[in-house]
Every structure is written in structure tokens, then in C-alpha cells.
Amino acid sequence: MTTNQNDKEEDIIDEKLNSLIEKATKANEKMDDSFKNSSAELNKMEEKIDNNIKEVEKTLAELDKDEQETEDEVEKLILKEAEEIAKDEIEDKEN
Amino acid sequence: MNETEKRVMKENERDVKKARREGNVDKLQELLDNMPENIRNYKHLKDVTKKAISLLNEKKAESTKPVTLTEAEIEQTTKLEGSTEALNELTAPVDAEINTIANESAMVIEEAEKSINEVSPNTETLNTELVEKQKEFEKVTMEFEKNEEEIKKMESYIKIAEGFLDLNLPKETIVKLLGDSGATQEEILLIMGPLLGTIDTPAADAAPVVAENQEVTPVTAPESTPVVAENTTTNPETVPVTAETTANNDVIEAKNINETGRYMLPANRGFFEKMSEKGRSIAATVYKGINMIPVVNRLVAKIGISYNQYFINAKEGRSSVLKDKMDGLDLEMKTFDQSKTRMIEIMENLKKNGNPGYAPLALEIKKMERQESKLANKRDQLQSKIELKENKIKIYTNKRDAIADKMIGKYENKLSPIEGKLEVINNEREKMNLYILGREIELERDEAYFNNLEKDRNQLMESLTSTGKSIEKAGRNASIKILNKQIEKGREKITKTREELAGKQRDINEKIAKIDAQAQPHRDRRNQFIRVKEGRPIDWNLEERNRLQNEKTMAETSSHTRKNEAETVSPTAPKSIDTNSDSSIEEAPSLSGRISKLNEYLTNNNLKKDLQIDEVYLLNNMTLTKETTVNLGMFKKVVEQYYRVKKIPENDYRTLLNNLK
């Protein structure tokens, strides 16, 4: 193969390589866009889930508070009742 | 006919002939009457005789002359005679056979009777034995049923014991709890022996305690003391409180009494400390065991305490003491009244008789009336006390129920939206998973694209070497280097994107699992509250608590919106379903093409409509185009995720999915 022929061949290969480079660059750019979009979309989805989770947490906190109030109420009832029974016992013994 | 009978018959025939010739109707009639009934051969002779009597009677009626038969008539009857003889000859073998059969039959009957007589006593014995066996069978059945009940009971105790073992409760506590659940010492030994080795069973009078794996401080239980427990609710029989037993409460040590305050809410500790010693002792008694219950479960335990029959029994116990006193007063008043009536009668008699001795009696009666009035006042006071106590019981139970109802109401109001939100969260997650699948499809496509670029690059490298360049030199080509970098960059992006997607998925799953776990105890507590209020023992269903610890089970939380399996038409096992729209093409077929094929198959086979894939919905949610290609493995994942988003029960699509190709 002569030098001229070789040069010609190499030029063709270079052209093809450049075309491949262009394709690869475009694919990378497309991937960047796609990644950006999907990240945004997933963040949006996550936000939705987070908001719902926050609402659940809020209701659970209210429930916690309710439970504490109930515990307080029931404990007071028990203690008052215990005290009353004690008084009754003493009273009955005296009578 | 035997020979004798034949001979008698011949004689009869002769007599009939003679009487017929003589025209002696009476004789004929007599002969006819005397002919045997059951011998068939006589039939003909009887007919002949009857005919002769009939003819003679007819003739007698026509004329008063002595009646005789004409020769023709005699001939007619003679023919009949011949017929009789012929018939006798014909029937003779039949008769002989009949006789033989009759004899044989008689013998058979005789044999049978003999056998029956022999068997009869055996039958009676067998009947008796049968009745006994039946009784025995019934006894065995009853025992079996009893054993079955025992087994069921033991199984339930084992379940309870296993639950507590999972909680790492101390063995003494578990033993006490089993005793509390009604297990006998023998049963406890049977259950716990193999699990824990040698153990001490609780004393029969030991108070049961519910506990968890915290600060186990053994407390000497007074006899028949009330129970502080989640799973020991109202049971009047188990906690009989009398004045005597409440007196035993004094036994509780001061140290334990003071310690009880530690397990109360800080807001109530001050009140507890200000209570009388007796009151604190009672509180310590009812709070016994609370130290062993984890803080998060103490609310239910305290509700359990308030539902403990102790409080009701204590008040009723006091009331019964007062009632006894009141009954005593009633009796005393009755006696007084009787004495007073008697005195009045005596006084009236004395007065009537003009006896002056009645004056002291009148004084005595006055005294009695005063005494009676005092007793009546005392009785009224006692009655008021009893009524007051009864009202107090009612007030207490009303307050207690109101607290429990209020909390149950709050659970009802708040858990329902929580469940709804969790459902929404789950749905969002499923949609997100579908979206991520779309990205994975794209990444696969990109990967394939870069693979192809690499293939082309390699071909060009080969072309370069064919021009005479060495591989090293070809590798140093500037364009090749740039291309390599781009390919490398692309691959790195694919890896990074995959990692990001997986990370996002993991983060969200963790968040959902966390919130689910936070909600779970409240769900359980709601049920425990209801059980305490209904007076049923609490079921320590630990599995339920663990059900949302991983992603798989978490997904199942949304399953309650799915239809029952029975309601759905499960697809009959389909043959393989070819979703490759064009098998001639080498590259992966389009997602759209596969969906069309699948939908077509579902329509043609009349399978459940819900299984049809909404292509537009799917492509939109995955942000993919119709042309997107997809391999079979990925297509299966897409279909499965689509069904999950659409909440199709897995049973409905599993077979279908397995047969996709």
C-alpha cells in the first residue's frame, strides 16, 4: 500500500472516529439531561412521600400526647380510688 | 297325594257315582261337604258333584217324580270322571315333587329353627357386648375430646410462654404469668421444664404479675392481691377482696411502697407522696409488677389496673360489711318491736283489770320507743353509707369507662388517617419504583449504545493497524483517545446513575419503614385498649409488631385494599406468551409491542380485565417512548411493577408473568 493510499485510508478512519466521538458526546449529553430530569422527578416524588410522612408524624405526635394525657388521667383515678378505699377502711374500722 | 289319600278319593268317587245314580241330592251334598279342602285333585270331583247336585235340583224343581239322571247326563258326568282320573295321573308326578319340596322345606325350616334356637343365646350375649363396647367407645370419645381440649389449652399456654420468652422475660415471671393465665403447676412444669430446665412453680396463692424484661424486682405478693397487668383484666373470681384481704395489704413493705412512685408520671408522684400510708399501700399493691412493663406499654397496663376488679370488690366488700351491720340492726329492731307489742298487751290487760301495776310498764315502753328510734336512725345512716358506696362504684366505673372510651375514640379518629396516609405513601413508592424501572431501561439502552460504539471503535482500530500502524501507535491516535474518554465517561455516568437510583430507593424505603414502625405500636395499643375494656386478655402478638420491619412486609401493608383471592378470576395457567412482536429482528422488541402482544393474549383468552396494561399510563409514568426497546427480563419487571402500582394481587398475575417470553 502506498503512502498516499495509507493517508487516504487514515483520513477516512479519522472521519469515522470523529463521527463516533460526536455520537458518544451526544449520548453523554443526553444522559446528563436525563439524569438531571430523573433526579428532579425523583426529588419531587420523595418530597410527596416526605410530606405524607410528616403528616403521619404529626398525627402520631398528637396521639402520643393524647396517650400521655390519658395515662395521667387514669393514674389520677387509680390513686384517688386507692386513697378513697384506704379512707373507707379506716372509717369502717373506727365504726 | 299319598296312597291313603288316593284310596279315600276313590271311595269318594264311588260314593258320588252311587248317589248320583240314586238321585240322592242330600248324600251328594254330604259327600261334597266332607271332601278335603286343601287337596287340589279333589277339585274335579267337587265340580262333578256340584254339577250333579245342580242338575238333580233342577229336575226336582221341574217335576215331583223321583228324579234320576238320564244316561246322557250320566255319560256327561262319566266323561268328567275320566277327566278326573286322567288329571290325577298327570298331576301325580307334580304332586310327588311338591311333596318332596314340602318335606325338604320342612326339614330346612326345622334346621333353621334349631339354628335360631342355638344362635339366640349368642345374639343376646353379642347385644350385651355391643352395648358395652358402645359405652366404652363413648367413654373413649369423651376422653379423646377432653384430651383434645387439654392439648388446645396446652398449645395456648405454650404460645403465651413462647411470646414471653421472645421478650426475654425472666423465667420466674413467665411462670407467674402462666399461673395467672390459669395453668396448673403440673402444666407449667410440662411447658417450661423442657424450655428452662428446673424451675420453681409459683405458690398457689401467689399473685400473678405481667412483666417485661426490665428491672425485675421480686415482690412478695399478699394473698389474692389484685393484678397489675395488661393481660389480667377484670375477673371478679380471681380477685376476691374482703376486709380480711385488704388488711393483708398492710404487709407490703414500705420500701416497695415508696418505689411504686417511680413508675408513676412525674405529675402524679407528688400526689402519691401526699397520700395516706394506707392509700399508698393500696396503690403499691395494685401497681405491683408495673416496674416490669416497658414505659411505652405502661398506659395500657394502667388502664388494665383501672379495670381491675380490685377496686369494685374493695367497695363492694365494704358495702357487704355495712349491709351485715344493717341486717343486725333490723333484727334488733324487730325483737324490740315484738317485746314492745307484748308489753303493750300486758299493760292493756292490767289496765282493763284495774290493776295499778301498769304505770312502770308504760315507762318501760317509752324507753323502748326511744331506743327503737335510735336504732332506726343508725339503720338509716348505714343505708345511706351503702347507697353512697354503691354510687361511688358507679361513678368510678363511669369515669374509668369514659377515659378508656375517650382514648379508643382518639385512636379511631387518628389511626384511620394515618392508615390512609401510609397507603398513599406506599402507592407513591410503587410509582417511584416504576419510574426508576423506566430509568433502568434507559440505562440498559445507553449501555448497549456505548458497547456498540466500542465495537465500532475496535473495528476502526483494526483498520488503522491494517494501514501498517502498530496497535500501540493506533491507540495513541488523538481521536481514539477522545473517543475512549467519551465511552469511559458514559460508562461512569451509567454506574453513577444506577447507584443514585438505588440510593434513592433505599432512602425512601427506610423512611417508610421508620414511619410504619412508629405507627405500629399505636395500632397495637388501640387493640390492647379495646381488649382491656372488654375484659379479655391481651394477645401478645409479637409477629404483628414485626410485620413492617422490612420492605417486603411493608409492601404487604397496602394489601388490605386488594380484593380477596376468591373474588378474583385467577388466570388459568397460560401457555407461554410471546411478547416479541417481531421475532425476525435481532434487537430487543419495543416495550409498546410487547404490551400489545400481552394485552391481545389477555383479550383472546378472556382473562381478568384488570390485567390489561394501560400503555399510555405506563409510558407516561416511566417517561418512556413507544419505541423504547426492552428485553424480556426487564419487561417482566415492568409488568410486575405495573401490577403492584395497580394493586393487583400477586396470585392473579404470577402465572402469567412466569409464562411471558
Side-chain angles (χ1 to χ4, degrees), chain B residues 406-420:
Chain B
K406 196 164 76 182
M407 195 58 225
I408 290 167
K410 280 178 181 171
Y411 280 127
E412 300 287 348
N413 289 337
K414 285 177 182 164
L415 281 176
S416 172
I418 287 174
E419 299 286 355

Side-chain angles (χ1 to χ4, degrees), chain B residues 15-274:
Chain B
D15 291 343
V16 168
K17 270 184 197 170
K18 193 182 168 197
R20 194 175 54 191
R21 286 185 193 282
E22 288 167 356
N24 189 346
V25 178
D26 293 337
K27 180 70 184 170
L28 282 171
Q29 190 59 52
E30 190 192 332
L31 286 167
L32 185 66
D33 292 343
N34 290 328
M35 282 177 199
E37 287 288 329
N38 298 325
I39 297 173
R40 199 159 57 83
N41 296 11
Y42 269 90
K43 189 179 175 292
H44 193 73
L45 185 62
K46 279 179 182 176
D47 288 342
V48 170
T49 314
K50 278 177 193 168
K51 181 86 180 164
I53 292 169
S54 162
L55 284 169
L56 283 167
N57 282 337
E58 274 172 29
K59 287 212 169 194
K60 208 174 181 181
E62 283 170 14
S63 145
T64 50
K65 286 193 289 183
V67 179
T68 52
L69 291 173
T70 63
E71 280 307 309
E73 284 165 344
I74 289 168
E75 200 178 328
Q76 193 186 347
T77 52
T78 312
K79 272 180 192 168
L80 283 171
E81 276 170 32
S83 301
T84 305
E85 279 166 12
L87 189 68
N88 283 342
E89 275 170 28
L90 277 171
T91 56
V94 179
D95 284 337
E97 207 173 321
I98 288 169
N99 281 334
T100 317
I101 291 166
N103 289 337
E104 282 172 1
S105 300
M107 276 168 73
V108 168
I109 290 164
E110 201 180 326
E111 280 292 315
E113 278 173 356
K114 207 174 152 192
S115 301
I116 288 166
N117 288 335
E118 279 171 10
V119 166
S120 214
N122 289 342
T123 312
E124 274 173 30
T125 319
L126 281 172
N127 278 337
T128 320
E129 275 176 20
L130 188 66
V131 171
E132 273 169 20
K133 290 275 174 205
Q134 264 174 340
K135 276 182 190 167
E136 216 171 293
F137 177 73
E138 276 166 20
K139 206 174 141 193
V140 169
T141 312
M142 269 167 72
E143 266 180 33
F144 177 74
E145 280 167 3
K146 207 176 141 196
N147 285 342
E148 222 174 18
E149 274 172 28
E150 284 291 318
I151 288 164
K152 272 184 193 164
K153 209 167 82 180
M154 287 297 277
E155 276 173 352
S156 73
Y157 291 147
I158 288 167
K159 210 180 159 191
I160 292 170
E162 280 172 350
F164 289 129
L165 279 172
D166 286 347
L167 282 171
N168 294 325
L169 291 187
K171 64 178 182 182
E172 294 82 4
T173 311
I174 300 174
V175 167
K176 279 181 184 171
L177 285 168
L178 285 172
D180 180 31
S181 306
T184 61
Q185 288 191 26
E186 203 181 12
E187 286 165 344
I188 293 171
L189 273 170
L190 266 172
I191 298 160
M192 300 297 289
L195 294 172
L196 298 171
T198 316
I199 45 143
D200 301 322
T201 50
D205 57 354
V209 178
V210 163
E212 295 235 1
N213 53 346
Q214 288 192 350
E215 309 160 51
V216 184
T217 48
V219 181
T220 314
E223 198 174 306
S224 302
T225 49
V227 181
V228 178
E230 280 183 60
N231 67 343
T232 51
T233 51
T234 51
N235 187 353
E237 284 77 26
T238 58
V239 197
V241 177
T242 60
E244 224 175 284
T245 54
T246 46
N248 281 338
N249 294 336
D250 296 338
V251 176
I252 292 205
E253 292 168 23
K255 186 190 152 202
N256 290 331
I257 294 171
N258 292 331
E259 214 172 280
T260 307
R262 281 176 51 198
Y263 306 103
M264 286 169 190
L265 291 177
N268 294 327
R269 281 177 201 158
F271 181 85
F272 175 71
E273 278 155 22
K274 282 178 198 161

Side-chain angles (χ1 to χ4, degrees), chain A residues 13 17 20, chain B residues 450-464 479-481 483-485 487-488 491:
Chain A
I13 292 168
L17 276 170
L20 288 182
Chain B
F450 280 104
N451 285 344
N452 284 336
L453 284 178
E454 207 169 34
K455 226 189 264 172
D456 292 346
R457 182 205 63 190
N458 291 343
Q459 277 177 358
L460 290 173
M461 286 265 284
E462 274 176 33
S463 303
L464 273 176
S479 299
I480 295 272
K481 276 184 176 175
L483 182 61
N484 281 348
K485 257 193 179 167
I487 292 170
E488 198 184 325
R491 290 229 166 95

Side-chain angles (χ1 to χ4, degrees), chain A residues 66-67 75 81 92 95, chain B residues 287 302 315 385 411 414:
Chain A
D66 290 338
E67 284 183 347
E75 193 159 77
E81 201 57 17
D92 289 348
N95 289 334
Chain B
Y287 262 67
K302 286 173 186 176
K315 280 194 161 56
K385 275 187 185 176
Y411 280 127
K414 285 177 182 164

Side-chain angles (χ1 to χ4, degrees), chain B residues 211-361:
Chain B
E212 295 235 1
N213 53 346
Q214 288 192 350
E215 309 160 51
V216 184
T217 48
V219 181
T220 314
E223 198 174 306
S224 302
T225 49
V227 181
V228 178
E230 280 183 60
N231 67 343
T232 51
T233 51
T234 51
N235 187 353
E237 284 77 26
T238 58
V239 197
V241 177
T242 60
E244 224 175 284
T245 54
T246 46
N248 281 338
N249 294 336
D250 296 338
V251 176
I252 292 205
E253 292 168 23
K255 186 190 152 202
N256 290 331
I257 294 171
N258 292 331
E259 214 172 280
T260 307
R262 281 176 51 198
Y263 306 103
M264 286 169 190
L265 291 177
N268 294 327
R269 281 177 201 158
F271 181 85
F272 175 71
E273 278 155 22
K274 282 178 198 161
M275 281 167 70
S276 65
E277 203 180 320
K278 182 83 188 165
R280 280 191 293 139
S281 168
I282 291 170
T285 307
V286 293
Y287 262 67
K288 194 165 61 64
I290 195 92
N291 57 327
M292 295 181 221
I293 291 168
V295 178
V296 287
N297 285 335
R298 284 194 189 148
L299 166 64
V300 181
K302 286 173 186 176
I303 277 287
I305 292 167
S306 75
Y307 270 87
N308 199 299
Q309 193 64 13
Y310 173 82
F311 292 108
I312 310 294
N313 285 350
K315 280 194 161 56
E316 281 175 350
R318 303 273 85 73
S319 294
S320 77
V321 172
L322 294 176
K323 183 77 173 57
D324 285 348
K325 281 187 182 176
M326 205 172 88
D327 290 344
L329 282 177
D330 278 342
L331 197 70
E332 212 176 324
M333 281 169 74
K334 204 179 165 188
T335 319
F336 253 92
D337 195 49
Q338 282 170 351
S339 307
K340 196 180 84 180
T341 316
R342 180 80 188 121
M343 275 191 174
I344 290 169
E345 274 174 21
I346 296 165
M347 191 181 75
E348 290 299 321
N349 280 337
L350 289 172
K351 254 188 189 179
K352 220 196 270 176
N353 298 331
N355 197 325
Y358 69 87
L361 275 179

